[in-house]
Amino acid sequence: MGKIIDGKKISEQMKEELKDKVEKLKAQGKKVTLAVVQVGDDPASSVYVNNKKKTCAYIGIGSLSYELSKEAKEEELLSLIEELNGREDVNGILVQLPLPPHMDEQKVIGAISPKKDVDGFHPFNVGALSIGQKGFVSCTPAGIIELLKRSCIEIEGKECVVIGRSNIVGKPMALLLLRENGTVTIAHSKTKNLKEIAKRADILIVAVGKAKMITKEYVKEGAVVIDVGIHRNEQNKLCGDVDYEDVFPICSALTPVPGGVGPMTIAMLMNNCVESVL
Ligand code: NAD
């Protein structure tokens, strides 16, 4: 195992595998189609949406694009979702978050059919994950499990510490590590003695949303460190929640930013789209 966990390379392997699967499905007369809905024109959301559409095209997944203005009413979005839920030619529905403040995100997520919820955010799928049943899993944590497995990093019996308890990263991450038989601790903004707790980890997953917060004082010698954060530093360069230069010398493996967790998130979204027709 190399010290740098190359998420870009691993995600490219996954995309090739998915391309093959999509071709085989096509030969059986089955098409995969993702509907992507964006509300407003937030530049970061537009970049994410375009990347998703480009990756769909590469793999052979059809994508339908819906753009609503930032003033659109919640009912307009809900009726679009209802229409997409009912369309047989649409397998997956993705509503790009965040939504404008006048829309209730949970209500919108809850309106998507759980069978088409390729983001894995619907309460039905979150519940399925928590009781170990099949369902769509949030793409970022699912991608991290794939990164660990494909890098031959064993999870079973390991001390795993997740810093962050968001619904889309921290909580599903902890449940997935538990499913893989890790011994899991979730730390968050109210945790006391964070350094001591983080230092127990054989596998440390960092999703705090604070640039370069995690220095070597938080990391046990030889730990595997997964950096979920994405930020721009003063030079407008991308960096993570982990102080890469500081932590690199003492850990056994580390994901870079960019090129670590980020590309895996899109690959897992594509995987969920393919799964939706299987
Ligand atoms: P969030 O803001 O919803 O959650 C952050 C979590 O960190 C919270 O649960 C909070 O309790 C915890 N936290 C905050 N300050 C803390 C502190 N000082 N000590 C301990 N815990 C603290 O963020 P999120 O949506 O989970 O995302 C986290 C980071 O990951 C962000 O930088 C986000 O941009 C990035 N992200 C990356 C991807 C990707 O594909 N690479 C996907 C999702 C999110």
Side-chain angles (χ1 to χ4, degrees), residues 3-5 212 214-215 227 239-251 254-258:
K3 195 160 185 175
I4 296 174
I5 302 177
K212 293 188 172 190
I214 300 303
T215 56
D227 188 356
C239 70
D241 288 344
V242 175
D243 186 336
Y244 188 90
E245 281 76 26
D246 199 47
V247 168
F248 186 77
I250 68 153
C251 64
L254 178 61
T255 56
V257 179

Side-chain angles (χ1 to χ4, degrees), residues 3 9 11 40 42 69 79-81 89 128 130 137 155 167 193 212 216 219 226 233 251 269:
K3 195 160 185 175
K9 192 167 150 199
S11 71
D42 172 61
S69 86
S79 72
L80 172 62
I81 291 172
D89 60 332
S130 73
V137 178
I155 303 169
N167 289 341
N193 308 326
K212 293 188 172 190
K216 63 176 186 292
V219 180
I226 305 292
N233 68 12
C251 64
L269 172 70

